[in-house]
Amino acid sequence: MDKFILIYDQMKTFFAAPLILSLTIVSVTPTNLTADSHAFDVSMQNCMHAKMFALHVIERRNENRPIEDYDKIVFESPAALEIIDDAYKTENQTAKSSRRKIEINFAEKWMNQCFEFSCSGYWADLEIALAKIKN
């Protein structure tokens, strides 16, 4: 009878360990998925703000806004100054149809760079930067 109890106890341990492990994984995974989902949402927002900021800057550049106007503004986002610098290095088109295509391509280029090199701190606060340059 003692052998039977010993075997029964070993079987309980053998089957209990995987059960406990699977329950632990199930209880932890949704938290990680939620955190990953939130990080993805933040990244998407940052990249959309990068696109909108880049579009606004290139449009104003095409309307002959001088680059010196941006010197007066303090930007929290490191990407803001890089986008502004790139906008003023981009060729200015006189034809309205060509200009709009270049503006859209420029904005999408910066959005894609954000997605490719998603470092949230670098792209953060572009929404604030956009509000600053619109005023």
Side-chain angles (χ1 to χ4, degrees), residues 51-67:
K51 180 180 181 177
M52 298 309 298
F53 182 82
L55 183 62
H56 188 78
V57 169
I58 195 78
E59 287 172 343
R60 296 306 163 264
R61 192 286 317 254
N62 287 337
E63 294 170 359
N64 297 320
R65 181 178 185 174
I67 193 170

Side-chain angles (χ1 to χ4, degrees), residues 38-88:
H38 177 70
F40 180 74
D41 289 344
V42 169
S43 180
M44 287 287 294
Q45 286 177 344
N46 286 342
C47 293
M48 289 308 297
H49 292 146
K51 180 180 181 177
M52 298 309 298
F53 182 82
L55 183 62
H56 188 78
V57 169
I58 195 78
E59 287 172 343
R60 296 306 163 264
R61 192 286 317 254
N62 287 337
E63 294 170 359
N64 297 320
R65 181 178 185 174
I67 193 170
E68 291 79 24
D69 286 357
Y70 297 105
D71 292 341
K72 304 168 194 163
I73 303 170
V74 176
F75 295 106
E76 290 81 10
S77 173
L81 291 175
E82 194 169 337
I83 292 169
I84 292 167
D85 186 54
D86 191 35
Y88 281 83

